């Protein structure tokens, strides 16, 4: 059974557009209990919270809040780690899967038709760069050590508590990270046009710069070619003068004979 609640979906105060939404939890008391059990230090209570989340998923299906899914993934990692249920190598992979899913799913709703760098999206959501770097190491590079995996898990758990779970308590349990507010979505649509215009302007400036560089390079090549042609002509002239023709050699020989006869006569 799905349950209905009313709330403001994160709208700013004063707009007063209250709407009805469906949630998978039975009551606020159940929500509070799941939150407490997820963030406690007892594995058995954490397992009980995961079972309740599985029940929510069966009710809500693909509409399950991304933040709840990510929290459940990370809690499973912590339970496996605390109970020594697997080796360190397998544990690194388990943490890696949870952290990669977190970064991808949480930033996915921020992506628009124009691709935005992941680090920039994460920064806008107060996710530090080292978390994004961990994600890149898991997907593209050498796997990080277990210590960094645990640090990443602890940070993300606290981020989810602050940015999602805690906000529900003051917003009638209806604030969802992937649809924070209609006001924000409207603002994002307006900003998307501004981003596209800005990117178009940057592309035009880049093209103009490329054209200028191309022009300078072509001018340089033409100038160098002219210099080489001039040098080539000078070299030919020098070669012609240093290698006299047969007529010039005959004239020089005649001059030598004249000079020799002149010396004899004197």
């Amino acid at each position: 059974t799905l349950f209905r609640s009313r709330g403001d979906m994160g709208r700013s105060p004063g707009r007063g557009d209250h709407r009805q939404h469906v949630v998978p939890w039975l009551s606020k008391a159940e929500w509070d209990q799941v939150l407490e059990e997820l963030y406690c230090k007892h594995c058995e209570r954490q397992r009980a919270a995961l079972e309740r989340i599985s029940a929510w998923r069966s009710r809500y299906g693909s509409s399950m809040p991304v933040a709840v899914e990510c929290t459940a993934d990370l809690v499973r990692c912590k339970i496996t780690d605390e109970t020594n249920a697997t080796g360190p190598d397998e544990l690194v992979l388990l943490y890696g899967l949870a952290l990669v899913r977190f970064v991808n799913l949480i930033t996915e709703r921020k992506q628009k038709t124009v691709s935005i760098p992941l680090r920039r999206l994460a920064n806008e959501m107060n996710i530090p760069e080292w978390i994004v770097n961990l994600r890149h190491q898991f997907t593209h590079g050498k796997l990080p050590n277990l210590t960094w995996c645990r640090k990443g898990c602890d940070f993300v758990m606290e981020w989810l508590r602050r940015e999602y779970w805690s906000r529900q308590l003051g917003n009638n349990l209806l604030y969802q990270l992937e649809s924070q507010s209609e006001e924000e979505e409207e603002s994002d649509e307006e900003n998307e046009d501004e981003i596209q215009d800005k990117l178009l302007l940057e592309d035009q400036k880049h093209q103009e710069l490329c054209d200028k560089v191309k022009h300078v390079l072509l001018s340089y090549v033409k100038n160098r070619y002219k210099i080489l042609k001039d040098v080539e002509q000078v070299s030919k002239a020098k070669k012609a003068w240093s290698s006299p023709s047969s007529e010039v050699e005959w004239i020089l020989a005649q001059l030598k004979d004249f000079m020799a006869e002149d010396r004899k006569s004197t």
Side-chain angles (χ1 to χ4, degrees):
T1 305
L2 294 175
F3 298 85
R4 297 181 182 274
S5 298
R6 287 187 176 273
D8 58 10
M9 283 301 290
R11 285 184 175 274
S12 58
R15 297 189 66 169
D17 184 15
H18 295 279
R19 297 182 181 182
Q20 194 173 57
H21 299 274
V22 177
V23 295
W25 38 88
L26 299 175
S27 62
K28 182 178 184 301
E30 183 183 40
W31 174 275
D32 292 341
Q33 184 176 357
V34 169
L35 172 58
E36 179 183 352
E37 290 175 342
L38 284 172
Y39 283 87
C40 75
K41 302 297 182 182
H42 302 286
C43 293
E44 290 304 319
R45 295 187 64 192
Q46 288 177 323
R47 287 193 180 98
L50 293 178
E51 290 176 1
R52 287 179 180 268
I53 289 177
S54 295
W56 293 356
R57 188 182 301 108
S58 67
R59 298 170 188 159
Y60 224 32
S62 59
S63 299
M64 190 73 169
V66 167
V68 174
E69 294 279 16
C70 291
T71 306
D73 291 341
L74 293 165
V75 169
R76 290 189 191 94
C77 293
K78 293 182 74 70
I79 293 175
T80 304
D81 196 354
E82 291 292 332
T83 57
N84 297 316
T86 187
D89 293 339
E90 291 78 8
L91 197 56
V92 167
L93 294 176
L94 193 61
Y95 275 118
L97 177 60
L99 291 171
V100 169
R101 274 174 53 81
F102 164 76
V103 174
N104 289 353
L105 293 176
I106 292 298
T107 58
E108 184 178 35
R109 67 171 298 276
K110 288 283 187 178
Q111 283 286 7
K112 302 298 181 181
T113 54
V114 179
S115 180
I116 303 175
L118 193 58
R119 283 185 172 83
R120 183 169 134 197
L121 290 174
N123 182 64
E124 292 177 358
M125 303 180 74
N126 297 319
I127 299 172
E129 187 175 352
W130 68 271
I131 291 292
V132 180
N133 290 339
L134 270 182
R135 181 258 184 198
H136 287 335
Q137 288 180 38
F138 281 116
T139 55
H140 303 297
K142 183 180 179 181
L143 293 176
N145 58 43
L146 186 55
T147 300
W148 277 106
C149 293
R150 288 167 174 159
K151 288 181 179 179
C153 178
D154 291 340
F155 176 87
V156 172
M157 286 284 291
E158 287 304 313
W159 187 94
L160 288 166
R161 188 211 295 259
R162 181 181 69 254
E163 298 292 333
Y164 177 75
W165 294 93
S166 295
R167 295 191 182 191
Q168 310 312 302
L169 300 178
N171 200 31
N172 201 21
L173 308 183
L174 289 173
Y175 178 101
Q176 292 189 17
L177 194 62
E178 61 268 44
S179 56
Q180 294 179 357
S181 67
E182 294 177 7
E183 181 179 314
E184 179 181 301
E185 290 178 357
E186 292 171 1
S187 176
D188 286 345
E189 290 176 359
E190 294 174 359
N191 291 336
E192 183 178 349
D193 292 335
E194 295 179 4
I195 292 174
Q196 289 179 337
D197 292 341
K198 183 178 180 181
L199 290 175
L200 181 60
L201 181 60
E202 290 178 354
D203 288 341
Q204 291 175 345
K205 290 182 178 179
H206 179 72
Q207 186 61 45
E208 290 175 1
L209 177 61
C210 289
D211 291 340
K212 290 180 180 179
V213 171
K214 182 179 179 181
H215 175 73
V216 171
L217 290 175
L218 287 174
S219 298
Y220 173 78
V221 170
K222 290 179 180 179
N223 185 51
R224 295 297 297 175
Y225 180 76
K226 182 178 182 301
I227 292 173
L228 289 174
K229 291 296 290 183
D230 293 342
V231 170
E232 183 180 359
Q233 292 175 359
V234 171
S235 298
K236 289 181 178 179
K238 288 183 177 179
K239 185 176 180 182
W241 281 104
S242 61
S243 302
S245 64
S246 58
E247 290 83 0
V248 173
E249 291 179 347
W250 181 81
I251 293 172
L252 291 174
Q254 293 296 314
L255 289 173
K256 288 181 181 179
D257 291 342
F258 292 150
M259 292 176 67
E261 291 177 358
D262 182 67
R263 283 197 296 270
K264 290 178 180 179
S265 63
T266 56

